[in-house]
Amino acid sequence: MHIKKRLAAAALSLIASTSALAELKVGAVMASFDDNYLTYVREHMAAKARADGVQLQFEDARNDVVKQLSQVESFISQKVDAIVVHPVDTAATRSITDAAVKAGIPLVYINRKPDDAKLPPGVVTVTSDDIEAGRLQMQFMADRMDGKGRIGILLGDLANNSTRGRTQGIKEVLAKYPGITVVEEQTGLWLRDKGMDLTSNWLLAGQQLNAILSNNDEMGIGAAMALRQAGRKDVLVGGSDGTPDGIAAVKRGLLAVSVFQDAKGQAEGSLDAALKMIAKQPVDQHLLIPYRLITADNVGEFQVATKR
């Protein structure tokens, strides 16, 4: 009888726990739904939310800082249990942080870490080390170029620290190779068509390039397409993120290399962190998801890993 009572109590506890979890609401504000990488982040986050029985609502800030803050404030007024934010501008997150902390709502920054040196309790980040991504990409290129040549760099949006971090990593490695010269460096705003246009302009201007390094796969694919249209198959192109399109481009030889940023790891890590904070469980304030190099030699591993 005593055992039956304990089993019944355990069952009631499990039902209560499951019921409470099913009622949890998480609001997620993305910088832009047009960002290809963030599409995969949203898909993985949505899948985990369904598996965990969490109600998840996404909003698109459309790269507007003011709009993003308004969306966060709307989630706060709806009394969601936690908020996940992919910031439009990493230098303009203080208002978002202050609003969430004041409301006592757990806040998770995903993919892009705020520029603030110290974040208050109740705020965590789930990111990858962008400097390492730049280092990995440039070291691969330097080895392929035998430490000499002329390169162009396609920068992401200048307003966020992913661009700065990845470019810093590239230039840290470049400092070891005086034989490699940067002859072009412009922003393509993370977009494939911008990468294509910039590369076409460089070629039309008569620039002699041995390699183009891109802060993401989309701009890199655009650069590779422009090079192919110009009949230039001798220029190496590198990307970063390891999106399914980027991985396919490595397999096809459009990209010589990409650096895998784990969209699934970031998505699931951010939702896990949010749920732990809601449950008042300990969580690391800064969770790092590692980058990995993607080349023609190992691209098959990543095709399997990213199948959805």
Side-chain angles (χ1 to χ4, degrees):
M1 188 69 179
H2 182 61
I3 293 174
K4 287 183 179 180
K5 285 182 179 180
R6 282 199 297 175
L7 288 173
L12 286 171
S13 175
L14 179 61
I15 291 169
S17 174
T18 303
S19 175
L21 186 61
E23 295 168 1
L24 293 181
K25 296 180 181 179
V26 175
V29 185
M30 300 286 118
S32 172
F33 281 9
D34 290 337
D35 186 301
N36 196 31
Y37 176 78
L38 291 181
T39 299
Y40 301 110
V41 170
R42 293 200 317 275
E43 289 178 358
H44 288 303
M45 197 182 299
K48 179 166 176 57
R50 287 192 298 270
D52 289 348
V54 175
Q55 183 179 332
L56 178 64
Q57 180 180 337
F58 286 106
E59 293 291 344
D60 181 4
R62 303 191 179 201
N63 284 319
D64 185 325
V65 172
V66 175
K67 186 179 186 70
Q68 185 164 66
L69 176 59
S70 176
Q71 290 166 334
V72 169
E73 290 173 338
S74 176
F75 278 138
I76 290 172
S77 68
Q78 294 172 44
K79 300 188 186 307
V80 296
D81 296 287
I83 299 173
V84 177
V85 174
H86 177 268
V88 170
D89 185 347
T90 54
T93 56
R94 182 67 60 83
S95 296
I96 292 173
T97 298
D98 290 347
V101 169
K102 183 178 179 181
I105 296 177
L107 173 64
V108 180
Y109 285 108
I110 184 173
N111 182 253
R112 297 175 179 170
K113 186 183 292 187
D115 291 354
D116 296 320
K118 187 175 182 181
L119 295 173
V123 181
V124 306
T125 66
V126 180
T127 62
S128 299
D129 183 355
D130 289 305
I131 296 175
E132 181 64 13
R135 288 188 193 120
L136 288 169
Q137 185 191 55
M138 188 64 239
Q139 187 61 60
F140 176 89
M141 286 298 196
D143 292 342
R144 285 286 301 272
M145 296 167 66
D146 293 325
K148 57 184 182 295
R150 295 161 58 88
I151 68 170
I153 302 176
L154 289 168
L155 306 172
D157 185 345
L158 300 180
N160 75 73
N161 55 17
S162 291
T163 296
R164 295 192 291 275
R166 292 178 186 187
T167 307
Q168 178 183 332
I170 288 171
K171 292 189 174 179
E172 284 182 5
V173 174
L174 274 174
K176 301 186 295 183
Y177 295 93
I180 300 177
T181 305
V182 179
V183 295
E184 292 287 357
E185 183 175 340
Q186 295 184 54
T187 176
L189 299 171
W190 306 116
L191 300 174
R192 185 179 299 195
D193 60 345
K194 295 288 187 183
M196 190 172 185
D197 290 344
L198 285 172
T199 302
S200 294
N201 291 341
W202 295 347
L203 295 175
L204 287 171
Q207 281 291 11
Q208 296 301 311
L209 296 165
N210 301 107
I212 295 175
L213 288 89
S214 171
N215 284 167
N216 78 338
D217 288 334
E218 285 297 292
M219 294 186 296
I221 291 170
M225 290 169 65
L227 289 164
R228 288 292 175 95
Q229 285 184 2
R232 295 289 303 277
K233 295 185 178 181
D234 58 324
V235 181
L236 299 169
V237 182
S240 186
D241 280 340
T243 62
D245 281 354
I247 292 168
V250 173
K251 185 175 182 183
R252 290 170 54 201
L254 274 176
L255 296 180
V257 67
S258 184
V259 189
F260 183 67
Q261 182 176 207
D262 191 348
K264 186 172 187 285
Q266 289 185 2
E268 294 185 350
S270 65
L271 200 56
D272 272 337
L275 296 179
K276 284 180 180 178
M277 285 195 288
I278 293 168
K280 310 295 184 187
Q281 296 175 358
V283 59
D284 291 337
Q285 188 166 39
H286 299 292
L287 178 63
L288 276 178
I289 309 296
Y291 276 103
R292 288 183 287 157
L293 205 62
I294 307 172
T295 68
D297 293 333
N298 68 357
V299 65
E301 300 171 22
F302 294 92
Q303 286 183 300
V304 171
T306 55
K307 281 184 179 177
R308 291 170 290 134

PDB file of all heavy atoms in Angstrom, residues 48-69:
ATOM      1  N   LYS A  48      12.603  21.915 -31.124  1.00  0.00           N
ATOM      2  CA  LYS A  48      12.856  21.610 -29.711  1.00  0.00           C
ATOM      3  C   LYS A  48      11.686  22.078 -28.835  1.00  0.00           C
ATOM      4  O   LYS A  48      11.307  21.397 -27.885  1.00  0.00           O
ATOM      5  CB  LYS A  48      14.152  22.260 -29.234  1.00  0.00           C
ATOM      6  CG  LYS A  48      14.429  21.980 -27.754  1.00  0.00           C
ATOM      7  CD  LYS A  48      15.822  22.316 -27.325  1.00  0.00           C
ATOM      8  CE  LYS A  48      16.010  22.107 -25.825  1.00  0.00           C
ATOM      9  NZ  LYS A  48      15.694  20.721 -25.411  1.00  0.00           N
ATOM     10  N   ALA A  49      11.129  23.233 -29.175  1.00  0.00           N
ATOM     11  CA  ALA A  49       9.981  23.744 -28.406  1.00  0.00           C
ATOM     12  C   ALA A  49       8.806  22.779 -28.493  1.00  0.00           C
ATOM     13  O   ALA A  49       8.142  22.492 -27.494  1.00  0.00           O
ATOM     14  CB  ALA A  49       9.583  25.124 -28.923  1.00  0.00           C
ATOM     15  N   ARG A  50       8.573  22.250 -29.693  1.00  0.00           N
ATOM     16  CA  ARG A  50       7.478  21.271 -29.844  1.00  0.00           C
ATOM     17  C   ARG A  50       7.757  20.026 -29.018  1.00  0.00           C
ATOM     18  O   ARG A  50       6.860  19.490 -28.358  1.00  0.00           O
ATOM     19  CB  ARG A  50       7.311  20.894 -31.321  1.00  0.00           C
ATOM     20  CG  ARG A  50       6.675  21.961 -32.181  1.00  0.00           C
ATOM     21  CD  ARG A  50       6.265  21.428 -33.541  1.00  0.00           C
ATOM     22  NE  ARG A  50       7.402  20.946 -34.313  1.00  0.00           N
ATOM     23  CZ  ARG A  50       8.122  21.709 -35.140  1.00  0.00           C
ATOM     24  NH1 ARG A  50       7.839  22.994 -35.271  1.00  0.00           N
ATOM     25  NH2 ARG A  50       9.122  21.191 -35.823  1.00  0.00           N
ATOM     26  N   ALA A  51       9.000  19.556 -29.057  1.00  0.00           N
ATOM     27  CA  ALA A  51       9.360  18.352 -28.303  1.00  0.00           C
ATOM     28  C   ALA A  51       9.218  18.563 -26.801  1.00  0.00           C
ATOM     29  O   ALA A  51       8.857  17.639 -26.066  1.00  0.00           O
ATOM     30  CB  ALA A  51      10.786  17.939 -28.641  1.00  0.00           C
ATOM     31  N   ASP A  52       9.512  19.790 -26.345  1.00  0.00           N
ATOM     32  CA  ASP A  52       9.439  20.094 -24.906  1.00  0.00           C
ATOM     33  C   ASP A  52       8.067  20.594 -24.467  1.00  0.00           C
ATOM     34  O   ASP A  52       7.855  20.877 -23.283  1.00  0.00           O
ATOM     35  CB  ASP A  52      10.486  21.157 -24.547  1.00  0.00           C
ATOM     36  CG  ASP A  52      11.908  20.616 -24.600  1.00  0.00           C
ATOM     37  OD1 ASP A  52      12.056  19.380 -24.682  1.00  0.00           O
ATOM     38  OD2 ASP A  52      12.860  21.415 -24.563  1.00  0.00           O
ATOM     39  N   GLY A  53       7.140  20.724 -25.403  1.00  0.00           N
ATOM     40  CA  GLY A  53       5.810  21.206 -25.053  1.00  0.00           C
ATOM     41  C   GLY A  53       5.784  22.672 -24.666  1.00  0.00           C
ATOM     42  O   GLY A  53       4.983  23.096 -23.824  1.00  0.00           O
ATOM     43  N   VAL A  54       6.665  23.465 -25.269  1.00  0.00           N
ATOM     44  CA  VAL A  54       6.747  24.897 -24.957  1.00  0.00           C
ATOM     45  C   VAL A  54       6.104  25.704 -26.083  1.00  0.00           C
ATOM     46  O   VAL A  54       6.301  25.407 -27.262  1.00  0.00           O
ATOM     47  CB  VAL A  54       8.227  25.329 -24.794  1.00  0.00           C
ATOM     48  CG1 VAL A  54       8.338  26.832 -24.596  1.00  0.00           C
ATOM     49  CG2 VAL A  54       8.855  24.594 -23.620  1.00  0.00           C
ATOM     50  N   GLN A  55       5.335  26.716 -25.711  1.00  0.00           N
ATOM     51  CA  GLN A  55       4.738  27.602 -26.706  1.00  0.00           C
ATOM     52  C   GLN A  55       5.781  28.651 -27.101  1.00  0.00           C
ATOM     53  O   GLN A  55       6.233  29.435 -26.270  1.00  0.00           O
ATOM     54  CB  GLN A  55       3.492  28.284 -26.133  1.00  0.00           C
ATOM     55  CG  GLN A  55       2.775  29.165 -27.141  1.00  0.00           C
ATOM     56  CD  GLN A  55       1.522  29.812 -26.559  1.00  0.00           C
ATOM     57  OE1 GLN A  55       0.905  29.258 -25.645  1.00  0.00           O
ATOM     58  NE2 GLN A  55       1.159  30.974 -27.067  1.00  0.00           N
ATOM     59  N   LEU A  56       6.162  28.657 -28.371  1.00  0.00           N
ATOM     60  CA  LEU A  56       7.224  29.538 -28.847  1.00  0.00           C
ATOM     61  C   LEU A  56       6.684  30.454 -29.931  1.00  0.00           C
ATOM     62  O   LEU A  56       6.066  29.998 -30.891  1.00  0.00           O
ATOM     63  CB  LEU A  56       8.378  28.693 -29.401  1.00  0.00           C
ATOM     64  CG  LEU A  56       9.584  29.425 -29.988  1.00  0.00           C
ATOM     65  CD1 LEU A  56      10.298  30.233 -28.914  1.00  0.00           C
ATOM     66  CD2 LEU A  56      10.553  28.424 -30.627  1.00  0.00           C
ATOM     67  N   GLN A  57       6.928  31.744 -29.775  1.00  0.00           N
ATOM     68  CA  GLN A  57       6.480  32.724 -30.768  1.00  0.00           C
ATOM     69  C   GLN A  57       7.668  33.519 -31.288  1.00  0.00           C
ATOM     70  O   GLN A  57       8.452  34.059 -30.514  1.00  0.00           O
ATOM     71  CB  GLN A  57       5.456  33.689 -30.162  1.00  0.00           C
ATOM     72  CG  GLN A  57       4.950  34.743 -31.145  1.00  0.00           C
ATOM     73  CD  GLN A  57       3.944  35.691 -30.526  1.00  0.00           C
ATOM     74  OE1 GLN A  57       3.287  35.361 -29.532  1.00  0.00           O
ATOM     75  NE2 GLN A  57       3.802  36.871 -31.104  1.00  0.00           N
ATOM     76  N   PHE A  58       7.799  33.597 -32.616  1.00  0.00           N
ATOM     77  CA  PHE A  58       8.890  34.341 -33.242  1.00  0.00           C
ATOM     78  C   PHE A  58       8.407  35.697 -33.739  1.00  0.00           C
ATOM     79  O   PHE A  58       7.263  35.845 -34.186  1.00  0.00           O
ATOM     80  CB  PHE A  58       9.446  33.573 -34.446  1.00  0.00           C
ATOM     81  CG  PHE A  58      10.288  32.380 -34.081  1.00  0.00           C
ATOM     82  CD1 PHE A  58       9.790  31.095 -34.251  1.00  0.00           C
ATOM     83  CD2 PHE A  58      11.571  32.542 -33.584  1.00  0.00           C
ATOM     84  CE1 PHE A  58      10.561  29.990 -33.931  1.00  0.00           C
ATOM     85  CE2 PHE A  58      12.356  31.442 -33.266  1.00  0.00           C
ATOM     86  CZ  PHE A  58      11.846  30.167 -33.432  1.00  0.00           C
ATOM     87  N   GLU A  59       9.299  36.686 -33.685  1.00  0.00           N
ATOM     88  CA  GLU A  59       9.049  37.988 -34.288  1.00  0.00           C
ATOM     89  C   GLU A  59      10.260  38.375 -35.133  1.00  0.00           C
ATOM     90  O   GLU A  59      11.397  38.030 -34.801  1.00  0.00           O
ATOM     91  CB  GLU A  59       8.819  39.066 -33.214  1.00  0.00           C
ATOM     92  CG  GLU A  59       7.543  38.882 -32.400  1.00  0.00           C
ATOM     93  CD  GLU A  59       6.273  39.113 -33.219  1.00  0.00           C
ATOM     94  OE1 GLU A  59       6.363  39.709 -34.315  1.00  0.00           O
ATOM     95  OE2 GLU A  59       5.196  38.683 -32.761  1.00  0.00           O
ATOM     96  N   ASP A  60      10.007  39.087 -36.222  1.00  0.00           N
ATOM     97  CA  ASP A  60      11.046  39.526 -37.146  1.00  0.00           C
ATOM     98  C   ASP A  60      11.294  41.020 -36.953  1.00  0.00           C
ATOM     99  O   ASP A  60      10.416  41.842 -37.213  1.00  0.00           O
ATOM    100  CB  ASP A  60      10.584  39.253 -38.578  1.00  0.00           C
ATOM    101  CG  ASP A  60      11.617  39.659 -39.633  1.00  0.00           C
ATOM    102  OD1 ASP A  60      12.720  40.089 -39.247  1.00  0.00           O
ATOM    103  OD2 ASP A  60      11.311  39.522 -40.838  1.00  0.00           O
ATOM    104  N   ALA A  61      12.504  41.385 -36.493  1.00  0.00           N
ATOM    105  CA  ALA A  61      12.818  42.792 -36.256  1.00  0.00           C
ATOM    106  C   ALA A  61      13.174  43.536 -37.544  1.00  0.00           C
ATOM    107  O   ALA A  61      13.272  44.767 -37.540  1.00  0.00           O
ATOM    108  CB  ALA A  61      13.979  42.920 -35.268  1.00  0.00           C
ATOM    109  N   ARG A  62      13.386  42.815 -38.618  1.00  0.00           N
ATOM    110  CA  ARG A  62      13.702  43.409 -39.918  1.00  0.00           C
ATOM    111  C   ARG A  62      14.881  44.377 -39.840  1.00  0.00           C
ATOM    112  O   ARG A  62      14.882  45.446 -40.438  1.00  0.00           O
ATOM    113  CB  ARG A  62      12.471  44.111 -40.505  1.00  0.00           C
ATOM    114  CG  ARG A  62      11.288  43.175 -40.648  1.00  0.00           C
ATOM    115  CD  ARG A  62      10.174  43.743 -41.454  1.00  0.00           C
ATOM    116  NE  ARG A  62       9.087  42.782 -41.569  1.00  0.00           N
ATOM    117  CZ  ARG A  62       8.149  42.812 -42.520  1.00  0.00           C
ATOM    118  NH1 ARG A  62       8.191  43.746 -43.440  1.00  0.00           N
ATOM    119  NH2 ARG A  62       7.201  41.912 -42.550  1.00  0.00           N
ATOM    120  N   ASN A  63      15.856  43.969 -39.063  1.00  0.00           N
ATOM    121  CA  ASN A  63      17.101  44.746 -38.900  1.00  0.00           C
ATOM    122  C   ASN A  63      16.852  46.166 -38.397  1.00  0.00           C
ATOM    123  O   ASN A  63      17.620  47.085 -38.711  1.00  0.00           O
ATOM    124  CB  ASN A  63      17.892  44.778 -40.214  1.00  0.00           C
ATOM    125  CG  ASN A  63      18.602  43.463 -40.484  1.00  0.00           C
ATOM    126  OD1 ASN A  63      19.167  42.851 -39.576  1.00  0.00           O
ATOM    127  ND2 ASN A  63      18.565  43.002 -41.723  1.00  0.00           N
ATOM    128  N   ASP A  64      15.817  46.330 -37.594  1.00  0.00           N
ATOM    129  CA  ASP A  64      15.449  47.637 -37.044  1.00  0.00           C
ATOM    130  C   ASP A  64      15.595  47.575 -35.515  1.00  0.00           C
ATOM    131  O   ASP A  64      14.859  46.840 -34.845  1.00  0.00           O
ATOM    132  CB  ASP A  64      14.005  47.960 -37.435  1.00  0.00           C
ATOM    133  CG  ASP A  64      13.572  49.359 -37.018  1.00  0.00           C
ATOM    134  OD1 ASP A  64      14.006  49.828 -35.943  1.00  0.00           O
ATOM    135  OD2 ASP A  64      12.775  49.964 -37.757  1.00  0.00           O
ATOM    136  N   VAL A  65      16.536  48.351 -34.974  1.00  0.00           N
ATOM    137  CA  VAL A  65      16.805  48.336 -33.529  1.00  0.00           C
ATOM    138  C   VAL A  65      15.577  48.749 -32.730  1.00  0.00           C
ATOM    139  O   VAL A  65      15.234  48.130 -31.711  1.00  0.00           O
ATOM    140  CB  VAL A  65      17.996  49.271 -33.198  1.00  0.00           C
ATOM    141  CG1 VAL A  65      18.157  49.426 -31.690  1.00  0.00           C
ATOM    142  CG2 VAL A  65      19.280  48.744 -33.797  1.00  0.00           C
ATOM    143  N   VAL A  66      14.911  49.798 -33.163  1.00  0.00           N
ATOM    144  CA  VAL A  66      13.731  50.309 -32.455  1.00  0.00           C
ATOM    145  C   VAL A  66      12.607  49.277 -32.486  1.00  0.00           C
ATOM    146  O   VAL A  66      11.931  49.037 -31.475  1.00  0.00           O
ATOM    147  CB  VAL A  66      13.257  51.648 -33.068  1.00  0.00           C
ATOM    148  CG1 VAL A  66      11.965  52.118 -32.403  1.00  0.00           C
ATOM    149  CG2 VAL A  66      14.344  52.710 -32.930  1.00  0.00           C
ATOM    150  N   LYS A  67      12.410  48.654 -33.644  1.00  0.00           N
ATOM    151  CA  LYS A  67      11.367  47.633 -33.786  1.00  0.00           C
ATOM    152  C   LYS A  67      11.658  46.446 -32.866  1.00  0.00           C
ATOM    153  O   LYS A  67      10.754  45.896 -32.236  1.00  0.00           O
ATOM    154  CB  LYS A  67      11.292  47.174 -35.243  1.00  0.00           C
ATOM    155  CG  LYS A  67      10.141  46.226 -35.552  1.00  0.00           C
ATOM    156  CD  LYS A  67      10.161  45.854 -37.022  1.00  0.00           C
ATOM    157  CE  LYS A  67       8.938  45.036 -37.402  1.00  0.00           C
ATOM    158  NZ  LYS A  67       7.707  45.830 -37.381  1.00  0.00           N
ATOM    159  N   GLN A  68      12.929  46.056 -32.777  1.00  0.00           N
ATOM    160  CA  GLN A  68      13.287  44.918 -31.935  1.00  0.00           C
ATOM    161  C   GLN A  68      12.980  45.198 -30.463  1.00  0.00           C
ATOM    162  O   GLN A  68      12.437  44.347 -29.764  1.00  0.00           O
ATOM    163  CB  GLN A  68      14.758  44.564 -32.115  1.00  0.00           C
ATOM    164  CG  GLN A  68      15.154  43.299 -31.359  1.00  0.00           C
ATOM    165  CD  GLN A  68      16.475  42.739 -31.840  1.00  0.00           C
ATOM    166  OE1 GLN A  68      17.521  43.356 -31.678  1.00  0.00           O
ATOM    167  NE2 GLN A  68      16.442  41.538 -32.420  1.00  0.00           N
ATOM    168  N   LEU A  69      13.337  46.385 -30.001  1.00  0.00           N
ATOM    169  CA  LEU A  69      13.031  46.744 -28.616  1.00  0.00           C
ATOM    170  C   LEU A  69      11.532  46.731 -28.374  1.00  0.00           C
ATOM    171  O   LEU A  69      11.065  46.231 -27.339  1.00  0.00           O
ATOM    172  CB  LEU A  69      13.610  48.124 -28.290  1.00  0.00           C
ATOM    173  CG  LEU A  69      13.279  48.672 -26.898  1.00  0.00           C
ATOM    174  CD1 LEU A  69      13.768  47.738 -25.804  1.00  0.00           C
ATOM    175  CD2 LEU A  69      13.873  50.067 -26.720  1.00  0.00           C
TER     176      LEU A  69
END
